[in-house]
Amino acid sequence: MSERKANAFPRGALFGAGALVAFALVSAATARFTDTREARIPTEVAAVETRDLRFEDQADGSVIAFEAPSGKVVARLPPGTNGFARALLRGLARERKREDEGQQAPFRLTLRADGGLMLEDTANGHRVELEAFGPTNAMVFARLLTGETTQ
């Protein structure tokens, strides 16, 4: 009978493992039912400045940013530069195509009172918080918002 006790798994370890499994299940269920598993971005922050922009690829590989209502050229992104902006715009264009949206609706670039910079696709409501990608990447779009238009 003493041999049987020597080969038995320690009760403390069993209780600890069971408690860990129970905690994981309760945590997952709580997150699922209270919808706390996703980070929420405050949308109530007031807009300080907005600009509606359209972007067009050019034959030479550059991307031209136009002010949507007037059609004035805001900026030209030369080929081989602004990789973040190009990748982001390509992804948003791909979403528009997948959702069968047109390419003519502008993107709304917004500077909020809290300093956040957001790019919103007005065609489908998708939003990208640009500061989440770091200050250098957000600065590319900040220049489009605050820069003077060029002819």
Side-chain angles (χ1 to χ4, degrees):
M1 190 147 169
S2 62
E3 250 182 70
R4 190 170 186 201
K5 282 189 178 182
N7 291 335
F9 199 78
R11 288 182 137 194
L14 282 175
F15 286 129
L20 183 62
V21 169
F23 175 74
L25 290 173
V26 168
S27 296
T30 300
R32 175 85 173 155
F33 294 119
T34 60
D35 204 27
T36 57
R37 65 190 180 279
E38 297 176 11
R40 299 289 180 201
I41 297 170
T43 55
E44 306 83 33
V45 180
V48 174
E49 189 174 352
T50 63
R51 190 174 214 178
D52 287 349
L53 300 167
R54 282 187 318 99
F55 298 92
E56 289 183 11
D57 290 325
Q58 302 298 301
D60 67 353
S62 64
V63 175
I64 304 291
F66 296 95
E67 193 169 41
S70 67
K72 290 182 182 177
V73 174
V74 174
R76 178 181 178 270
L77 307 176
T81 65
N82 302 295
F84 169 71
R86 289 170 177 279
L88 179 63
L89 293 170
R90 211 173 284 127
L92 291 171
R94 187 173 34 251
E95 284 297 311
R96 280 184 174 185
K97 189 173 184 177
R98 186 178 64 80
E99 295 177 6
D100 213 16
E101 302 285 341
Q103 296 297 320
Q104 294 304 313
F107 292 94
R108 181 162 294 134
L109 187 57
T110 303
L111 175 65
R112 295 189 313 258
D114 66 356
L117 192 61
M118 179 179 64
L119 183 66
E120 179 181 3
D121 187 344
T122 61
N124 55 27
H126 292 181
R127 296 178 177 177
V128 178
E129 295 295 328
L130 297 169
E131 68 274 2
F133 297 97
T136 305
N137 289 326
M139 187 60 64
V140 172
F141 286 94
R143 283 189 219 121
L144 294 175
L145 181 66
T146 59
E148 294 293 317
T149 58
T150 59
Q151 302 301 336

